[in-house]
Amino acid sequence: MKQYHTFEEIDERLRIIKLSREIHIENLKFKLNRVKTDMYPTNLLGNFKGSIQQMILTFAIQKLSRIFRRSH
């Protein structure tokens, strides 16, 4: 356990703890807002649309590569 020799040391440590707490709270708020944004219906649909497009593209590339291999 840390020992403090003056009240100034204690006050400084308390300020540091308070600032650290405020930083953590702001970080939590930021992450919460980001989750809210990511979970907004239009963003969910956009992410879903992108996933579908990627799946279709992968499927098409696989089919084309099989056709290309057969022709050679």
Side-chain angles (χ1 to χ4, degrees):
M1 180 193 267
K2 181 169 168 102
Q3 291 185 355
Y4 299 96
H5 302 292
T6 65
F7 285 109
E8 287 81 22
E9 288 178 2
I10 295 171
D11 288 341
E12 181 180 352
R13 182 67 183 145
L14 289 174
R15 278 193 300 271
I16 291 170
I17 292 171
K18 182 182 176 191
L19 289 172
S20 177
R21 181 177 178 271
E22 289 174 10
I23 289 169
H24 289 295
I25 289 171
E26 290 301 318
N27 192 21
L28 184 61
K29 287 179 187 177
F30 174 76
K31 288 179 180 181
L32 182 62
N33 279 334
R34 186 160 191 165
V35 168
K36 284 181 184 178
T37 302
D38 289 346
M39 297 303 285
Y40 199 71
T42 54
N43 289 339
L44 288 174
L45 290 175
N47 291 338
F48 182 70
K49 181 181 173 187
S51 297
I52 295 293
Q53 287 175 341
Q54 187 176 12
M55 287 171 40
I56 291 171
L57 183 59
T58 301
F59 177 76
I61 290 171
Q62 288 174 347
K63 287 292 184 184
L64 288 173
S65 67
R66 286 182 194 145
I67 293 170
F68 184 71
R69 279 190 232 146
R70 288 183 193 157
S71 67
H72 282 102

